[in-house]
Amino acid sequence: DSEREVEGAREYLRQTPYKILDGNIPFRAAYKTAMDQGKALTETPFKTLKEKADQIAQSIIDAIADSVKRRSATNGKLRKTKN
């Protein structure tokens, strides 16, 4: 997971309609160990890996919240025009 590989993937995704989230989850043995033990990625004992997992989780939450806000705003506008 070099920064160059991550940036290459992001560059490709910028050409698609997909949302690009902040952060990334690198391939690390500590994540595999956590998952093998039935734990979440954020439950790894390594602070930097835990922070990376927290960042991507928060990015997912933020993206969902933004989507809900946009849909609510759009639905509100549609309702107003129907009345």
Side-chain angles (χ1 to χ4, degrees):
D1 297 30
S2 71
E3 287 299 317
R4 194 168 92 190
E5 289 174 316
V6 171
E7 188 50 41
R10 288 180 179 280
E11 184 60 35
Y12 169 77
L13 289 171
R14 284 186 193 99
Q15 300 170 36
T16 70
Y18 298 109
K19 170 128 178 91
I20 302 171
L21 301 175
D22 294 332
N24 67 77
I25 297 176
F27 292 105
R28 296 292 184 268
Y31 286 144
K32 182 182 180 310
T33 300
M35 289 187 293
D36 286 347
Q37 295 172 354
K39 296 179 179 178
L41 297 180
T42 55
E43 295 178 296
T44 181
F46 301 99
K47 184 179 177 183
T48 56
L49 293 180
K50 185 176 183 171
E51 288 170 350
K52 285 183 175 286
D54 281 335
Q55 180 187 25
I56 196 76
Q58 188 60 54
S59 185
I60 292 167
I61 292 166
D62 293 345
I64 292 168
D66 289 345
S67 178
V68 169
K69 285 180 190 175
R70 281 194 308 274
R71 285 187 179 173
S72 294
T74 301
N75 287 339
K77 289 177 185 176
L78 292 175
R79 285 188 205 122
K80 288 179 185 175
T81 58
K82 289 182 180 178
N83 290 336

